[in-house]
Amino acid sequence: MENNELIIRNVKKEDLEQVAEIIVTGWKTAYKGIIDDNYLNSLTIEKRYNKLLGNYLEDEFIVAELNGEIVGFSRYTLYSTSNEIKNIDGEIFSIYVRPKLKRNGIGTAIFTYVMNQFKNNGNKSIILGCFKENYQSRAFYEKMGGKVIYEKQVERGEKEYPEVFYNYIII
């Protein structure tokens, strides 16, 4: 990241196209060989943008900006959405960093910001799901202190894939 200042702020409507591009590029990069190619090839920035446009105000949604470019983001909720996992009071739905900018501290900055939001809200125990075979992301989540507590199958396209859920205890 050099000496540039990373700004973390709430998402704006005009950020959504860059966010959509990060999601699609991220999926096609991180999940190559994990998720079926037909599903990955069906992902488009336009479709993802339209989906974001319809729901970007539903949860907490922050972006990381560097020199006017959106370089990462996270969506999370300060409340539990899990019916299967007990004693959880918050959930991180996603943390993304532009693939070309990974390993520069952006993900750590986003994660730290989100965890501080949980702490300030009084949350005690949160979860984050990740495809089981996404070992690069899993290494990051474990480095940040997460422990796998649950596994389930999730459907993407016409296939099912194992997903693991990390638990973070907020002190």
Side-chain angles (χ1 to χ4, degrees), residues 13-31:
K13 185 177 178 182
E14 53 267 25
D15 301 327
L16 297 180
E17 191 167 333
Q18 289 185 72
V19 169
E21 190 266 325
I22 292 170
I23 293 170
V24 171
T25 304
W27 270 71
K28 290 182 178 188
T29 303
Y31 300 135

Side-chain angles (χ1 to χ4, degrees), residues 71-163:
V71 295
F73 72 91
S74 180
R75 285 187 83 162
Y76 56 99
T77 180
L78 299 171
Y79 307 96
S80 175
T81 63
S82 175
N83 296 325
E84 297 121 343
I85 307 171
K86 302 299 176 213
N87 301 317
I88 299 298
D89 60 6
E91 182 173 354
I92 298 175
F93 300 125
S94 58
I95 294 180
Y96 282 76
V97 173
R98 284 194 185 278
K100 65 181 180 179
L101 295 175
K102 285 187 176 184
R103 301 188 186 282
N104 283 299
I106 297 168
T108 300
I110 293 169
F111 187 89
T112 301
Y113 179 94
V114 170
M115 293 305 277
N116 283 332
Q117 295 299 105
F118 284 121
K119 186 174 186 175
N120 292 340
N121 191 58
N123 294 70
K124 302 289 183 220
S125 181
I126 62 141
I127 57 170
L128 177 153
C130 178
F131 285 110
K132 188 174 184 174
E133 293 181 33
N134 184 356
Y135 298 113
Q136 184 179 8
S137 291
R138 290 187 62 188
F140 173 76
Y141 298 141
E142 290 166 13
K143 181 180 104 177
M144 301 310 289
K147 306 282 185 237
V148 174
I149 60 165
Y150 185 74
E151 184 174 327
K152 75 174 185 178
Q153 294 291 112
V154 294
E155 190 174 312
R156 294 293 181 269
E158 305 204 358
K159 296 189 177 181
E160 288 195 346
Y161 303 92
E163 188 173 42

Side-chain angles (χ1 to χ4, degrees), residues 18-82:
Q18 289 185 72
V19 169
E21 190 266 325
I22 292 170
I23 293 170
V24 171
T25 304
W27 270 71
K28 290 182 178 188
T29 303
Y31 300 135
K32 184 85 176 143
I34 297 173
I35 303 294
D36 183 68
D37 284 344
N38 290 331
Y39 182 78
L40 293 177
N41 293 336
S42 75
L43 300 176
T44 68
I45 294 169
E46 182 182 10
K47 280 194 260 184
R48 181 52 65 165
Y49 172 80
N50 288 330
K51 182 175 182 184
L52 288 170
L53 203 54
N55 69 9
Y56 78 99
L57 296 174
E58 289 178 7
D59 302 299
E60 282 64 35
F61 194 160
I62 53 105
V63 294
E65 181 181 330
L66 189 62
N67 299 326
E69 176 187 15
I70 304 303
V71 295
F73 72 91
S74 180
R75 285 187 83 162
Y76 56 99
T77 180
L78 299 171
Y79 307 96
S80 175
T81 63
S82 175

